[in-house]
Amino acid sequence: MHARAPRPILPRLLLTLALLAAGLAAVVATPGTARADGCYTWSRTLSQGASGADVTQLQIRVAGHPGYGGVLAIDGSYGPATTAAVKRFQTAYGLSADGVAGPATFGKIYELQDDDCTPVHFSYAELNNCNTTWAGGAVSATTAKANALRTMWKLEALRHALGDEPIRVTSGFRSHACNDAVGGASTSRHLYGDAADLGSGPHSLCRLAQQARNHGFNGILGPGYPGHDDHTHVDHRSSRFWSASSCGI
C-alpha cells in the first residue's frame, strides 16, 4: 500500500490569500462604511433627510464651510444648509461635490483630525492659555471646551481657504478672572469659549477678517473697531456683528 503524496503547499497558500483578499475587498466596498478613526468613526453614508448624533458630528466639522455670511446650525438634522456645507467642504478638498457624506468625505475628515477630535492644525491648549480645566467662565467647562472645538474647525476651514498657511491664535477661552486681568468686556465671548483672537502672520489682520466672513463667524471685529487694531476677533454670538472699518467691513 502506497502512502498518499502530500498536497502541494503553494497552491493552498495562494487560495487562502485569495479568499482573505476577497473578504477584505468586500468589507472595504460596503456602502457607507469607512475606516476606524481614533476620534470618531461614521458607520453610514449621510445625506439630506438623515438625523442623529453622527449628523451632529459631521456638522461640527463642516461648519466652517457655510458660504458668505452663513452660519450652519449644529442640530443633528441633515437639511439643505448641511448639504450645501458638505458640498463646499468637498469642493475645497478636491472631492466630488455631491453633498452626500460617504467614505471619501469621512476619509478626508479623518485626515484632518487628531485623536482628540481637534483639527490637525489647532489644539485645545492653543484655544486656552487661561487654565487647564476650562472652568470659571460664563458656561460650564464642558460647554466651553465644546464651543472651542467648533471654533477650531471653523479656523481650520479659514486656514485652508488662505492657502494652508499658519494662523496664530493669541487668545481663546477665558475665565472671569483671566478676562478681568486683560481688561476684557464683561460680556466677552471669550467667557463662553467660542471666541478666538488672531494675530498677524502670513496674513494681515484685515485679510483674516475679510476671509472669516465665509466661515461661519457671526462676530468679526478687527482693525478700526475700538481695541482691535492689533488683532482680529472671531466668535459665535447669536446674531451678526461685523466691524473692522479699516478693512472695509
Side-chain angles (χ1 to χ4, degrees):
M1 184 175 182
H2 298 287
R4 186 167 58 182
R7 295 175 63 185
I9 294 176
L10 183 58
R12 283 184 291 163
L13 177 59
L14 291 175
L15 176 61
T16 300
L17 291 174
L19 290 173
L20 287 174
L24 179 60
V27 171
V28 172
T30 300
T33 62
R35 68 174 177 80
D37 183 73
C39 161
Y40 183 86
T41 301
W42 283 269
S43 61
R44 59 172 179 156
T45 291
L46 299 173
S47 59
Q48 190 162 318
S51 62
D54 50 358
V55 176
T56 299
Q57 291 296 324
L58 173 66
Q59 288 172 327
I60 290 170
R61 289 154 180 79
V62 301
H65 301 268
Y68 183 90
V71 177
L72 180 65
I74 311 298
D75 58 6
S77 179
Y78 204 124
T82 299
T83 299
V86 169
K87 285 182 178 180
R88 292 188 186 94
F89 173 89
Q90 292 167 331
T91 297
Y93 288 99
L95 306 176
S96 177
D98 58 6
V100 175
T105 299
F106 297 140
K108 175 53 65 174
I109 292 174
Y110 297 148
E111 291 177 18
L112 292 173
Q113 70 184 8
D114 288 324
D115 286 352
D116 65 354
C117 298
T118 59
V120 292
H121 298 109
F122 298 92
S123 68
Y124 282 118
E126 192 173 5
L127 268 287
N128 181 0
N129 56 16
C130 171
N131 60 38
T132 59
T133 63
W134 297 84
V139 293
S140 70
T142 299
T143 298
K145 193 172 183 180
N147 286 343
L149 180 63
R150 297 182 184 189
T151 298
M152 283 186 270
W153 278 102
K154 293 183 179 184
L155 291 176
E156 184 71 25
L158 172 63
R159 186 185 191 278
H160 184 64
L162 291 174
D164 280 318
E165 293 182 304
I167 290 177
R168 185 166 60 93
V169 178
T170 60
S171 183
F173 167 75
R174 299 175 193 159
S175 67
H176 283 287
C178 289
N179 192 57
D180 291 345
V182 298
S186 61
T187 57
S188 172
R189 295 308 306 182
H190 291 280
L191 296 167
Y192 296 82
D194 67 7
D197 289 345
L198 312 178
S200 60
H203 311 290
S204 69
L205 298 178
C206 280
R207 185 74 184 96
L208 293 169
Q210 292 160 351
Q211 185 62 38
R213 295 175 293 181
N214 299 292
H215 300 291
F217 294 108
N218 257 341
I220 303 174
L221 306 174
Y225 185 78
H228 289 72
D229 286 338
D230 62 350
H231 67 280
T232 288
H233 168 101
V234 293
D235 67 48
H236 302 165
R237 67 188 67 198
S238 59
S239 59
R240 184 189 298 179
F241 184 74
W242 295 349
S243 183
S245 59
S246 296
C247 309
I249 298 174

